Amino acid sequence: MQDGRAPRVKNRAPAAVQITAEQLLREAQERQESQFKAPKQRVEDFEELHEYRGRKRREYEERIRRNRTSIRDWLKYAHWEASQNEFARSRSVFERSLDIDPRNVQIWLNYTEMELKSRNVQHARNLFDRAVTLLPRIDTIWYKYVYLEELLGNVAGARQVFERWMQWEPDDKAWQAYIKMEERYEEHDRASTIYERWIAVRPEPRVWVKWGKFEEERGRVDKAREVFQTALDFFGDDAEQIEKAQAVFGAFARMETRLKEYDRARVIYKFALERIPRSKSAGLYSSFSKFEKQHGTRNTLEATVLGKRRIQYEEELSQDRHNYDVWFDYARLEESAFNDVQIEGVTKAEEEEAMSRVREIYEQAISNVPPGREKRHWRRYIFLWLDYALWEEIEAKDYDRARQVYQTAISLVPHKQFTFAKLWLLYAKFEVRRLDLKAARKALGTAIGMCPKEALFKGYIDIEISLREFDNARTLYQKYIEYDPSNSAAWINFGDLEIQLQDFARARALFKLGISQSTLSMPELLWKKFIDFEIEEGERANARALYESLVNLSGHVKVWTSFALFESEPIPVPRDEREEEEEEDEEAEVKTVPGDPEKAREVFDRAYKDLKSKGLKSERVALLEVWKRFEEEHGTEEQVAKVEGMKPIVSKRRHVDPETGQTVEDWDLVFQDDEKESNPISFKFLQMAHAHAKKVAESKTQSDSGSGVLPGFAAAAAKETQPMQEDGGEDGSSGENE
């Protein structure tokens, strides 16, 4: 306990006698000390009574003298006098307190309550009259005054009090209380007159609705309709006033629905929804949709749902006018509504209205121009223009308006910073469909001159080819190549066009010019296309020359393998010979010139030596794989074995890392010809070791055959006739495993 910590409890076992919470509470209450109670004083005669009253009065007067503004002391004093049946003295105390604070509501209420408890009704009436005259804005006093008169059965007096109160134009609860009193005594005409006076004071929609509902409940439907119509005339045609009168429209329509006047209700709903902004009439639309689900047809229900979705889109756009995805959905909604109107075969006026609604949405959408000058901000926006133009052309059939939309969109885009090829091309195709080729060419020519772009060239060329204007297409290809001479696809497509036009000399010249460019994007595609063209033409010498140029230029293993396989494969005869044979027999098969496997082997050998001189080991392995498949197809077993013997082995080698200075182990490809040239002694040793490993492997099961034999050295060791010592073989095997 010296360090301030609680003592440690050693015995944690439960006590023999358990005490409940109920017992603890009971004992705590029993042991509480009794509170002090003032002694009771009994008065035996009038003398003691007068003495007691005088003492109490002196105490109260002393308190009031010390603090005259303490209303609590005044009220205690007055109630004490009333408890002694000294009502005159009590009135005197209340009057003295009112002299101090005549506008204190608490004093007036306690004063009137004292008079009523003592059954001094006339005094209470006089007090209420004084109070409401002095404090006309305190509703509590008025309510108590009216309640007193009605409780005494003085309905006329209560009505008179209400009339005095209504002159001060109180809040709605006071008017409602007056009306309910008249209803209790079945004075409905008086209640209707009170509603009319209430409307004159406070012409709010909920007051009109209460009046109309009151007239409906008393069975005067014509009067209720007159009330609602008067309300609608009062609010007028102003948008803001009509928006405030939504409750009146809704109540009017619900009343007509209850009376089973569904056509009237529908007209009311439509009248209101046509004049109230969509974004502010969600509640009215919800009521209309519920009405149509219960009493409408399929078409009216769809129109209601359509209006509800319009409100949703308006709410989303009110938060962000540049949310183009919402504009797209909104436009699709209006387009679908327009299509439905066309299918239903409605009047021309309704169709024009639906069309104008679609145009209005598109005009609102395109008016929200992106704030920045970055293309990523304009990508979604420009599609609004495109959809607008296509709708005008396809659905509305207004071609002049569609042309105007295209031209406005083109003038809006800042073409110096960026452009949209799709916009130019769609405009040009529109003009082509309108048979105005001059305008289409002018638009695309302007686009290429102002902001040349690959997509513009391609689209313009496709249009000219589809129109069979091949000279124009050639001119465009020339401009395209001048704009971007490094574009391999442009050269290839230009050459394909000349091939389709049967101008093979021009195509060959184009390909030659293309591969002679200093810089090309993906040049391998252009080289391949040129080589395939020469092969298709049956010009093996030209193709071979191209291969030679390409291997000198790149020296890639794929070029070498393609060159070698080209030498071994047949190609068609030259085109001149084919054309002569086709003139004689059109159905005859195209003759081919067989390949030369020997030349292919020479190419493989050149490729192997070239890759070896460059130190490209993985490329040599890939070449040998292709070479082996070639020999398996065209060569003999000895030739296959020769290629197999050229394959490398995977060996682990130790070397010193120049950066860290530590000895590290790496896996490496070891070719037998490389090893024979660099280390002839170790090569002989490894050759004998692998020959021995091969003999050991042959003696094992067929499933384990060749598992430890490395093919390159085994093939070379097979030519050796000298027997190998057993110790040396074991060393070689261990070295191999290492």
Side-chain angles (χ1 to χ4, degrees), residues 675-676 678-686:
E675 193 70 17
K676 187 174 182 180
S678 59
N679 300 311
I681 299 175
S682 59
F683 170 72
K684 187 67 175 179
F685 177 77
L686 288 174

PDB file of all heavy atoms in Angstrom, residues 675-676 678-686:
ATOM      1  N   GLU A 675      34.299 -24.952 -78.916  1.00  0.00           N
ATOM      2  CA  GLU A 675      35.196 -25.563 -77.926  1.00  0.00           C
ATOM      3  C   GLU A 675      36.411 -26.190 -78.609  1.00  0.00           C
ATOM      4  O   GLU A 675      37.529 -26.158 -78.086  1.00  0.00           O
ATOM      5  CB  GLU A 675      34.416 -26.626 -77.141  1.00  0.00           C
ATOM      6  CG  GLU A 675      35.118 -27.123 -75.890  1.00  0.00           C
ATOM      7  CD  GLU A 675      35.176 -26.067 -74.809  1.00  0.00           C
ATOM      8  OE1 GLU A 675      34.403 -25.068 -74.893  1.00  0.00           O
ATOM      9  OE2 GLU A 675      35.999 -26.212 -73.884  1.00  0.00           O
ATOM     10  N   LYS A 676      36.224 -26.766 -79.801  1.00  0.00           N
ATOM     11  CA  LYS A 676      37.322 -27.403 -80.526  1.00  0.00           C
ATOM     12  C   LYS A 676      38.357 -26.376 -80.963  1.00  0.00           C
ATOM     13  O   LYS A 676      39.563 -26.646 -80.961  1.00  0.00           O
ATOM     14  CB  LYS A 676      36.755 -28.143 -81.739  1.00  0.00           C
ATOM     15  CG  LYS A 676      37.781 -28.976 -82.483  1.00  0.00           C
ATOM     16  CD  LYS A 676      37.106 -29.786 -83.569  1.00  0.00           C
ATOM     17  CE  LYS A 676      38.123 -30.661 -84.291  1.00  0.00           C
ATOM     18  NZ  LYS A 676      37.486 -31.457 -85.367  1.00  0.00           N
ATOM     19  N   SER A 678      38.803 -23.314 -79.471  1.00  0.00           N
ATOM     20  CA  SER A 678      39.413 -22.607 -78.340  1.00  0.00           C
ATOM     21  C   SER A 678      40.197 -23.536 -77.421  1.00  0.00           C
ATOM     22  O   SER A 678      41.281 -23.188 -76.953  1.00  0.00           O
ATOM     23  CB  SER A 678      38.328 -21.879 -77.541  1.00  0.00           C
ATOM     24  OG  SER A 678      37.371 -22.815 -77.070  1.00  0.00           O
ATOM     25  N   ASN A 679      39.673 -24.745 -77.122  1.00  0.00           N
ATOM     26  CA  ASN A 679      40.315 -25.700 -76.198  1.00  0.00           C
ATOM     27  C   ASN A 679      40.310 -27.083 -76.833  1.00  0.00           C
ATOM     28  O   ASN A 679      39.459 -27.923 -76.516  1.00  0.00           O
ATOM     29  CB  ASN A 679      39.582 -25.737 -74.850  1.00  0.00           C
ATOM     30  CG  ASN A 679      39.583 -24.379 -74.181  1.00  0.00           C
ATOM     31  OD1 ASN A 679      40.618 -23.738 -74.074  1.00  0.00           O
ATOM     32  ND2 ASN A 679      38.400 -23.936 -73.749  1.00  0.00           N
ATOM     33  N   PRO A 680      41.243 -27.382 -77.727  1.00  0.00           N
ATOM     34  CA  PRO A 680      41.201 -28.692 -78.416  1.00  0.00           C
ATOM     35  C   PRO A 680      41.448 -29.863 -77.475  1.00  0.00           C
ATOM     36  O   PRO A 680      40.891 -30.937 -77.659  1.00  0.00           O
ATOM     37  CB  PRO A 680      42.299 -28.550 -79.474  1.00  0.00           C
ATOM     38  CG  PRO A 680      43.183 -27.452 -78.981  1.00  0.00           C
ATOM     39  CD  PRO A 680      42.322 -26.513 -78.228  1.00  0.00           C
ATOM     40  N   ILE A 681      42.280 -29.695 -76.416  1.00  0.00           N
ATOM     41  CA  ILE A 681      42.575 -30.820 -75.505  1.00  0.00           C
ATOM     42  C   ILE A 681      41.351 -31.166 -74.679  1.00  0.00           C
ATOM     43  O   ILE A 681      40.940 -32.336 -74.594  1.00  0.00           O
ATOM     44  CB  ILE A 681      43.769 -30.461 -74.601  1.00  0.00           C
ATOM     45  CG1 ILE A 681      45.010 -30.198 -75.467  1.00  0.00           C
ATOM     46  CG2 ILE A 681      44.035 -31.560 -73.587  1.00  0.00           C
ATOM     47  CD1 ILE A 681      46.209 -29.722 -74.665  1.00  0.00           C
ATOM     48  N   SER A 682      40.749 -30.167 -74.048  1.00  0.00           N
ATOM     49  CA  SER A 682      39.560 -30.452 -73.237  1.00  0.00           C
ATOM     50  C   SER A 682      38.413 -30.925 -74.111  1.00  0.00           C
ATOM     51  O   SER A 682      37.569 -31.720 -73.674  1.00  0.00           O
ATOM     52  CB  SER A 682      39.140 -29.205 -72.458  1.00  0.00           C
ATOM     53  OG  SER A 682      38.861 -28.149 -73.369  1.00  0.00           O
ATOM     54  N   PHE A 683      38.367 -30.466 -75.370  1.00  0.00           N
ATOM     55  CA  PHE A 683      37.326 -30.931 -76.266  1.00  0.00           C
ATOM     56  C   PHE A 683      37.465 -32.436 -76.514  1.00  0.00           C
ATOM     57  O   PHE A 683      36.471 -33.175 -76.505  1.00  0.00           O
ATOM     58  CB  PHE A 683      37.413 -30.172 -77.591  1.00  0.00           C
ATOM     59  CG  PHE A 683      36.542 -30.749 -78.677  1.00  0.00           C
ATOM     60  CD1 PHE A 683      35.164 -30.595 -78.614  1.00  0.00           C
ATOM     61  CD2 PHE A 683      37.103 -31.465 -79.728  1.00  0.00           C
ATOM     62  CE1 PHE A 683      34.369 -31.142 -79.602  1.00  0.00           C
ATOM     63  CE2 PHE A 683      36.300 -32.003 -80.702  1.00  0.00           C
ATOM     64  CZ  PHE A 683      34.931 -31.837 -80.654  1.00  0.00           C
ATOM     65  N   LYS A 684      38.716 -32.934 -76.698  1.00  0.00           N
ATOM     66  CA  LYS A 684      38.923 -34.370 -76.903  1.00  0.00           C
ATOM     67  C   LYS A 684      38.507 -35.166 -75.674  1.00  0.00           C
ATOM     68  O   LYS A 684      37.877 -36.229 -75.769  1.00  0.00           O
ATOM     69  CB  LYS A 684      40.417 -34.609 -77.223  1.00  0.00           C
ATOM     70  CG  LYS A 684      40.756 -36.037 -77.633  1.00  0.00           C
ATOM     71  CD  LYS A 684      40.129 -36.382 -78.944  1.00  0.00           C
ATOM     72  CE  LYS A 684      40.579 -37.780 -79.406  1.00  0.00           C
ATOM     73  NZ  LYS A 684      39.956 -38.145 -80.677  1.00  0.00           N
ATOM     74  N   PHE A 685      38.785 -34.613 -74.531  1.00  0.00           N
ATOM     75  CA  PHE A 685      38.442 -35.286 -73.272  1.00  0.00           C
ATOM     76  C   PHE A 685      36.916 -35.377 -73.109  1.00  0.00           C
ATOM     77  O   PHE A 685      36.366 -36.439 -72.791  1.00  0.00           O
ATOM     78  CB  PHE A 685      39.065 -34.513 -72.111  1.00  0.00           C
ATOM     79  CG  PHE A 685      38.724 -35.080 -70.766  1.00  0.00           C
ATOM     80  CD1 PHE A 685      39.351 -36.228 -70.298  1.00  0.00           C
ATOM     81  CD2 PHE A 685      37.766 -34.474 -69.977  1.00  0.00           C
ATOM     82  CE1 PHE A 685      39.023 -36.735 -69.074  1.00  0.00           C
ATOM     83  CE2 PHE A 685      37.442 -34.981 -68.755  1.00  0.00           C
ATOM     84  CZ  PHE A 685      38.076 -36.116 -68.280  1.00  0.00           C
ATOM     85  N   LEU A 686      36.246 -34.274 -73.347  1.00  0.00           N
ATOM     86  CA  LEU A 686      34.795 -34.278 -73.229  1.00  0.00           C
ATOM     87  C   LEU A 686      34.156 -35.170 -74.288  1.00  0.00           C
ATOM     88  O   LEU A 686      33.141 -35.815 -74.043  1.00  0.00           O
ATOM     89  CB  LEU A 686      34.261 -32.857 -73.364  1.00  0.00           C
ATOM     90  CG  LEU A 686      34.516 -31.922 -72.176  1.00  0.00           C
ATOM     91  CD1 LEU A 686      34.065 -30.512 -72.517  1.00  0.00           C
ATOM     92  CD2 LEU A 686      33.807 -32.430 -70.931  1.00  0.00           C
TER      93      LEU A 686
END
